[in-house]
Amino acid sequence: MASKLDIETYKGNIINNEIVPTPETRHSINPATGKALYEVPVAQKEDLDVAIKHARIAFKSWSNTPFSERANLLLKYADLIEFNRDELEKLLTTEQGKPLSLSHTEVDSGLHWLRTFATMEIKDEILKEDDEKIVYSTYPPIGVCAGIVPWNWPILLGLGKVGPALITGNTFIMKPSPYTPYCDLKLGELAAQVFPPGVVQVLSGDDNLGPWITEHPGIDKISFTGSIATGKLVAASCVKTLKRYVLELGGNDAAIVCEDVEIDKCLPKIAMMSFLNSGQICMLTKRIYIHEKIYDEFRDKMVEFTKGNIKTGAGTEEGVVVGPVQNKMQFDKVKDMYAEIERSNWKTALPGSAEQFEHGYFITPAIIDNPPEDSRIVQEEPFGPIVPLLKWSNEDDVIDRANALKTGLGASVWAKDVKRAEYMARQLSAGSVWVNSHFDVAPDVPIGGHKESGIGMEWGIEGLKHYCNSRSLWVWKKFFE
């Protein structure tokens, strides 16, 4: 069996299955302590050029490797990650800040995603067939793909891009977020032990690396997960070379709670889905619309539940749900939203705090009590542990309010009357909609956004097809007879 990962040493980027050092290095910060972490490479433009050259060479053979062999290597990769999971989970909490329990869940999910992708083969489809001809729809791989991975789920969203790219026959270059480069670099080291040279490469860099990747003519497709503002820049950059791209961007998910719910049964899930990962998930409940008949009881019980069950602290502490905000940029944004409470005179059911911890980027949960619909906390995604509760009475009106924003990533409806809830759910403009749940995701179910929350889909057969070109193949069987 292979030796365990050394999670404290980062000697270079992973290029063509080799560790390639760079003249310059940088480091990230442990968000729970504010202290510097390990030095990591800063890729130069020449490093990207070399990686793309190797990826293009590898594509010729990898794209012709039988599906069964690609699947077997993906499973072997998952096994190797699982062998090193304890080190990776510890590293994930150190660099990202999330509780160890959530790091364990993220690695679990990453393994499940890889193993499911290994079963998902995109086969030719027969469009027409008669005595003279057969017409297929075929799905050849695009070529060299790159994934730009965010800092909130670096393992799951990294592997969630690697897996679909590889199983469909593409080669892949991963760019971790500069805030969380460590786990993804280690995933690159593990990949180098499994896949042929040039198939999986990982480049850590500074703010220059993303634009170099999106503009590079040698890359055929970009998969980007991140903010709407950056997603627009990615799209504009990709257009210059007409490369394919999929964007999974920010959301501001509405949860509609109907008057017939059992509050004690649904409230724990709704509350947890508001504050999980310190609110730093694009598909959490960001706006909770509660029917006026149960509003006061729901609000009071959510405050009570949050006080008793949503503990803030370092991810290494027992029972913590809300770890630190991952980085200072996001911390300052969330602090400004908390400052808006006083500026705009919002009523708080739970005030929260962004000031009480000496070290680290800690913020305690806040619940805003029925703010105006045009307030910042309703209109903007805070990406922190703060959520507004809002009253509703008219079904058509609450659906209009839920659909009013330019975002449309996820949404949910909660009701005992499932037929009514499904009717309402079908009117919500979002890429994922849940009835009596929120933030359920699976590797064989596509996710994506409506409106400004994204373009294209990830995961599922539909997501895998985004890593392929669509080709119509006409075969005239009796032309020479």
Side-chain angles (χ1 to χ4, degrees):
M1 182 64 76
S3 59
K4 293 284 188 177
L5 276 174
D6 172 8
I7 61 171
E8 297 185 357
T9 305
Y10 299 82
K11 294 182 178 178
N13 286 312
I14 316 305
I15 299 175
N16 205 37
N17 284 5
E18 296 179 358
I19 296 177
V20 179
T22 56
E24 184 184 345
T25 61
R26 56 175 297 279
H27 62 261
S28 294
I29 300 293
N30 181 333
T33 65
K35 293 181 179 177
L37 291 173
Y38 322 108
E39 292 296 310
V40 292
V42 176
Q44 298 180 303
K45 199 166 188 305
E46 295 75 18
D47 296 317
L48 177 61
D49 293 335
V50 170
I52 291 170
K53 181 189 79 171
H54 289 302
R56 300 206 77 80
I57 292 169
F59 175 72
K60 293 177 183 178
S61 56
W62 182 250
S63 59
N64 288 302
T65 300
F67 173 85
S68 60
E69 290 184 32
R70 296 200 299 260
N72 285 337
L73 288 177
L74 215 56
L75 294 173
K76 186 179 176 184
Y77 184 41
D79 291 344
L80 189 56
I81 293 169
E82 187 162 35
F83 177 72
N84 289 279
R85 67 173 303 157
D86 291 346
E87 289 76 19
L88 286 168
E89 288 169 17
K90 193 184 305 179
L91 181 60
L92 180 57
T93 290
T94 300
E95 69 168 328
Q96 204 281 331
K98 64 183 58 177
L100 277 169
S101 59
L102 192 56
S103 291
H104 184 81
T105 299
E106 181 168 349
V107 173
D108 267 348
S109 298
L111 294 171
H112 176 50
W113 262 238
L114 284 181
R115 288 165 176 157
T116 302
F117 293 142
T119 70
M120 295 170 64
E121 183 176 6
I122 298 180
K123 298 181 178 179
D124 293 352
E125 299 166 14
I126 297 175
L127 304 179
K128 294 173 179 285
E129 186 173 15
D130 54 37
D131 290 341
E132 292 186 327
K133 66 182 181 299
I134 181 168
V135 184
Y136 301 94
S137 186
T138 70
Y139 298 94
I142 287 178
V144 177
C145 299
I148 300 177
V149 181
W151 47 258
N152 57 345
W153 294 91
I155 289 180
L156 177 57
L157 295 181
L159 297 177
K161 298 178 191 300
V162 169
L166 267 54
I167 200 65
T168 49
N170 299 279
T171 54
F172 191 79
I173 297 171
M174 186 193 302
K175 188 201 88 69
S177 166
Y179 292 117
T180 53
Y182 300 100
C183 283
D184 287 337
L185 281 166
K186 291 303 170 185
L187 290 177
E189 288 184 26
L190 296 179
Q193 298 177 38
V194 176
F195 299 103
V199 172
V200 179
Q201 301 175 95
V202 181
L203 296 181
S204 163
D206 56 18
D207 292 340
N208 293 313
L209 182 56
W212 289 342
I213 287 173
T214 56
E215 291 173 4
H216 203 293
I219 291 177
D220 302 296
K221 184 250 171 88
I222 299 288
S223 172
F224 171 82
T225 304
S227 71
I228 292 172
T230 306
K232 290 178 178 179
L233 296 175
V234 169
S237 182
C238 288
V239 165
K240 295 174 185 176
T241 53
L242 290 181
K243 61 170 56 71
R244 308 295 187 262
Y245 58 88
V246 169
L247 309 175
E248 197 266 289
L249 308 177
N252 198 347
D253 291 12
I256 299 173
V257 183
C258 297
E259 68 274 23
D260 65 344
V261 300
E262 293 178 35
I263 294 176
D264 292 341
K265 197 165 184 179
C266 69
L267 185 141
K269 174 101 184 219
I270 294 172
M272 200 62 76
M273 289 300 104
S274 301
F275 301 122
L276 189 70
N277 205 33
S278 309
Q280 300 170 120
I281 303 175
C282 49
M283 293 176 99
L284 290 186
T285 53
K286 308 288 174 71
R287 299 174 288 150
I288 305 175
Y289 291 93
I290 304 157
H291 195 280
E292 62 180 9
K293 288 182 179 178
I294 62 166
Y295 181 88
D296 289 351
E297 182 186 357
F298 190 101
R299 177 200 59 209
D300 294 346
K301 285 187 171 181
M302 184 163 172
V303 169
E304 182 184 355
F305 179 88
T306 303
K307 284 180 176 179
N309 297 276
I310 310 291
K311 178 183 174 183
T312 300
T316 51
E317 293 177 28
E318 190 71 30
V320 163
V321 174
V322 175
V325 174
Q326 202 285 318
N327 57 76
K328 188 177 187 304
M329 177 190 72
Q330 189 60 34
F331 181 67
D332 289 342
K333 287 181 180 179
V334 179
K335 277 180 66 176
D336 186 64
M337 186 66 82
Y338 275 60
E340 191 73 35
I341 296 172
E342 187 173 336
R343 288 198 296 261
S344 295
N345 201 28
W346 295 334
K347 183 181 177 185
T348 59
L350 184 65
S353 171
E355 305 292 346
Q356 70 186 60
F357 290 86
E358 185 180 351
H359 301 293
Y361 304 133
F362 293 100
I363 294 179
T364 58
I367 299 171
I368 310 303
D369 187 356
N370 201 33
E373 197 73 22
D374 62 356
S375 59
R376 269 186 70 197
I377 190 58
V378 179
Q379 298 293 313
E380 297 179 18
E381 180 187 26
F383 224 61
I386 177 171
V387 66
L389 309 183
L390 303 118
K391 291 182 183 178
W392 70 274
S393 57
N394 178 276
E395 205 170 283
D396 291 336
D397 175 64
V398 75
I399 288 168
D400 285 345
R401 290 160 71 190
N403 286 336
L405 304 183
K406 291 181 178 180
T407 52
L409 194 59
S412 60
V413 182
W414 301 75
K416 260 190 179 177
D417 184 343
V418 174
K419 284 190 175 179
R420 176 195 182 195
E422 184 175 340
Y423 172 78
M424 295 172 71
R426 288 179 179 274
Q427 297 179 67
L428 294 173
S429 180
S432 298
V433 182
W434 302 272
V435 170
N436 295 330
S437 191
H438 204 102
F439 190 44
D440 296 322
V441 290
D444 50 359
V445 177
I447 64 165
H450 292 191
K451 299 180 281 190
E452 289 194 357
S453 287
I455 292 176
M457 303 294 276
E458 298 264 28
W459 307 343
I461 288 295
E462 185 176 351
L464 266 61
K465 285 182 177 178
H466 280 290
Y467 284 90
C468 304
N469 284 311
S470 180
R471 177 176 60 199
S472 299
L473 177 61
W474 295 68
V475 179
W476 293 85
K477 298 182 286 190
K478 297 183 178 181
F479 182 78
F480 287 106
E481 291 184 11

